[in-house]
Amino acid sequence: MIVSRRTLLIGAAGGLGAGLVGCAGTAGSPEQTARLLPSAAPLPDRFTRPFQAPPVKPPASTSGGTTRYEITQRTARLEILPGLSTEIMGYDGLLPGPTIRARRGERVVVRHTNALTVPTVTHLHGGHTPSASDGYPIDLVLPQGGIVGPGHVDHGGATADISRGSRDYEYPHDQRAATLWYHDHRMDFTGAQVWRGLAGLHLITDDEEEQLPLPTGDRDLPLMIMDRSFAADGSLSYPSLDPNLARIGGVIGEYAAGVLGDVMLVNGVPWPELEVDAVRYRFRIVNACNARRIRLELDPPPPSGDSFVQIGSDGGLLERPVGHSALVAAPAERFDVVIDFSGYPVGTEVTMINPLGSGSTATVMRFRVARRSTDDSAIPERLSTIEPLRPAPDAPVREWKFLRGPSDGRNHWQINGQDFDPARMDAAPRLGEVEVWRFYSDLHHPVHLHLDPFQVLTRQGRGPGDYDGGWKDTIDLRPWETVEVAVRFTDHVGRYVLHCHNLEHEDMMMMAAFETVH
Ligand code: C2O
Ligand code: CU
Ligand code: CU
């Protein structure tokens, strides 16, 4: 039997109400649907650790037009907080995992070996991936030495494609250059397993992007932002399903609204400092928090010009750059930006702040402008071409209501009044057809679709919001909002999911399946 959170949560004390009232943990902010889990470990001083970027993964082999990678999912002990040792679950034992770099059209096979003690599922977020490699939440990779054999097994009416020890995930990369990320997607346990470290970057480039004069090399850096909390002994705290184990992190039911940490990690380092030349840098910002929305600003802002020039979103380059004084990112959203440090006097310390946070989470990292340097980069007026998706007048319109479940003693969130059931397909979109998907929410629900990106048509009946531009795969749906998007699924038939990317909501059933058809 596959142990599922839904069975364990039935009858959990408190109900959702506790989690929602728990918004007090974020000082009653209307900006978050989540609850703060405070660290018991002392928080380190900020800006004392140098910035680091995750290592780029070398291929295991390249032959016959296929590039192969081998990643081992394993535990590791890292010194994340000074003087304390933290056990993580990491891809190759790293936090974040190693970065995979690929080209458009390059066929990549990643062999994930599960050397952990729990089942995993790996999903490439933003990938245009065949269904069998997309990480359907019940397609488990069981730990290496388990007793259950691999094969297709029945999971409450759904077929689960179970592997033991390892699985090859195949990515044709038939998609534009973009900042993707990969992370765990095990049904009912994604929040816990991503929180413990299972997340990494996956960057796709293409000829179009390479011809642009954007900053490259060590001036093109990822910022994978995660909030986490630590127990007194340095271990990661996370609310437990088991009340007997809940001494440290509380019971998950109390955190049904979502778990917020109080330590801000950038690429696994708490509040790092990055020494920069007084030139342009490209940053690929990924909100990899379980539930936290962030708002990024520079303090001080540059003497002239915008703090951030956005060049890309979830699905790659925008058509034209867009200037912002602040960026608001919901969980799983990506913003590809250029920051121009040339206006700052050498010696300036520029803090990246998060006014949606408070106390320790109100700052993210710091830049120290160290020296002048030459810069041959530029931000072209025109970055790319985006084909507008225009739904036909009789295009299918599908409604997806993201609402809390009824107060029946269970902690659950629902889409269209239903809990996730991997055996139930809630839509059968036809490949190649543009559809209108309308999302509606009671609280903050970052809605994510698998397989293909979408374009925002309207937000609250008006045009797209400031952060909705370009190809998106995750949308920051705020309380009582209606957002309409145009989406067209292509190439791959099979089962996929859409879900809330507040990972606690996702685990508590705020997910739906659809099957693409010819
Ligand atoms: Cu980033 Cu279905 O997830
Ligand atoms: Cu995804
Ligand atoms: Cu949600």
Side-chain angles (χ1 to χ4, degrees), residues 123-127 134 181 183 185 448-451 473-474 497 499 501:
H123 169 60
L124 175 58
H125 182 124
D134 192 54
W181 60 305
H183 62 76
H185 218 297
H448 168 52
L449 308 191
H450 285 215
L451 184 58
D473 60 44
T474 307
V497 291
H499 58 89
H501 220 289

Side-chain angles (χ1 to χ4, degrees), residues 400-414:
W400 305 94
K401 287 191 174 19
F402 287 72
L403 304 170
R404 59 188 285 194
S407 316
D408 54 5
R410 300 189 298 153
N411 295 290
H412 59 147
W413 297 88
Q414 298 185 319

Side-chain angles (χ1 to χ4, degrees), residues 157-213:
T159 303
D161 181 5
I162 306 285
S163 319
R164 184 160 91 204
S166 69
R167 180 176 182 122
D168 286 355
Y169 291 89
E170 191 185 319
Y171 304 116
H173 287 135
D174 186 9
Q175 59 186 113
R176 315 167 76 221
T179 299
L180 312 187
W181 60 305
Y182 61 104
H183 62 76
D184 195 67
H185 218 297
R186 176 186 170 200
M187 187 166 102
D188 299 343
F189 294 90
T190 295
Q193 297 190 175
V194 171
W195 182 272
R196 296 197 163 91
L198 289 174
L201 289 141
H202 187 118
L203 310 179
I204 303 174
T205 190
D206 61 13
D207 295 343
E208 178 189 50
E209 178 188 53
E210 279 183 349
Q211 279 162 19
L212 298 175

Side-chain angles (χ1 to χ4, degrees), residues 33 402 413 444-446 500-502 505-506 510:
T33 300
F402 287 72
W413 297 88
H444 288 279
H445 298 296
C500 179
H501 220 289
N502 174 319
H505 297 190
E506 175 182 344
M510 200 173 235

Side-chain angles (χ1 to χ4, degrees), residues 185-486:
H185 218 297
R186 176 186 170 200
M187 187 166 102
D188 299 343
F189 294 90
T190 295
Q193 297 190 175
V194 171
W195 182 272
R196 296 197 163 91
L198 289 174
L201 289 141
H202 187 118
L203 310 179
I204 303 174
T205 190
D206 61 13
D207 295 343
E208 178 189 50
E209 178 188 53
E210 279 183 349
Q211 279 162 19
L212 298 175
L214 297 169
T216 55
D218 55 11
R219 294 177 182 175
D220 172 3
L221 298 169
L223 306 181
M224 184 174 252
I225 300 172
M226 300 169 158
D227 60 338
R228 295 292 185 268
S229 296
F230 296 85
D233 63 358
S235 59
L236 284 160
S237 316
Y238 189 78
S240 178
L241 281 173
D242 179 347
N244 299 315
L245 297 175
R247 282 168 300 118
I248 302 174
V251 187
I252 187 72
E254 296 166 3
Y255 288 87
V259 181
L260 303 177
D262 56 6
V263 174
M264 298 303 279
L265 303 176
V266 179
N267 300 338
V269 181
W271 300 286
E273 183 183 74
L274 173 64
E275 201 175 84
V276 292
D277 296 344
V279 298
R280 282 182 210 91
Y281 281 74
R282 173 178 183 176
F283 293 105
R284 300 157 184 270
I285 298 169
V286 181
N287 182 346
C289 299
N290 277 29
R292 180 181 291 278
R293 294 172 73 242
I294 50 179
R295 176 185 175 95
L296 301 176
E297 294 177 19
L298 297 181
D299 178 25
S304 67
D306 293 303
S307 293
F308 306 97
V309 177
Q310 187 189 354
I311 56 169
S313 59
D314 303 338
L317 292 170
L318 301 180
E319 210 151 46
R320 299 169 190 287
V322 177
H324 297 285
S325 54
L327 287 176
V328 177
E333 284 192 294
R334 283 90 70 211
F335 288 90
D336 211 326
V337 301
V338 172
I339 299 179
D340 185 352
F341 294 100
S342 66
Y344 291 109
V346 167
T348 310
E349 291 170 346
V350 183
T351 307
M352 184 180 264
I353 58 169
N354 168 35
L356 292 190
S358 59
S360 62
T361 59
T363 33
V364 176
M365 65 175 291
R366 187 165 79 183
F367 305 98
R368 173 188 295 275
V369 183
R371 63 191 78 76
R372 304 255 143 233
S373 174
T374 55
D375 188 359
D376 51 15
S377 75
I379 307 173
E381 271 306 301
R382 187 162 186 93
L383 297 161
S384 183
T385 310
I386 292 184
E387 174 210 349
L389 287 185
R390 293 212 180 82
D394 59 345
V397 178
R398 296 182 205 272
E399 286 236 317
W400 305 94
K401 287 191 174 19
F402 287 72
L403 304 170
R404 59 188 285 194
S407 316
D408 54 5
R410 300 189 298 153
N411 295 290
H412 59 147
W413 297 88
Q414 298 185 319
I415 301 176
N416 291 345
Q418 292 190 289
D419 290 349
F420 178 52
D421 176 353
R424 189 190 72 237
M425 296 295 135
D426 289 329
R430 208 173 283 287
L431 293 182
E433 185 167 5
V434 180
E435 301 199 347
V436 176
W437 286 25
R438 186 180 297 143
F439 306 122
Y440 176 80
S441 68
D442 54 356
L443 288 157
H444 288 279
H445 298 296
V447 173
H448 168 52
L449 308 191
H450 285 215
L451 184 58
D452 272 289
F454 52 80
Q455 293 173 5
V456 176
L457 298 171
T458 64
R459 185 185 274 276
Q460 289 298 78
R462 288 183 229 113
D466 291 347
Y467 306 111
D468 295 337
W471 287 105
K472 296 284 296 166
D473 60 44
T474 307
I475 178 94
D476 182 19
L477 193 61
R478 298 172 302 191
W480 310 113
E481 277 192 327
T482 301
V483 172
E484 286 183 325
V485 307

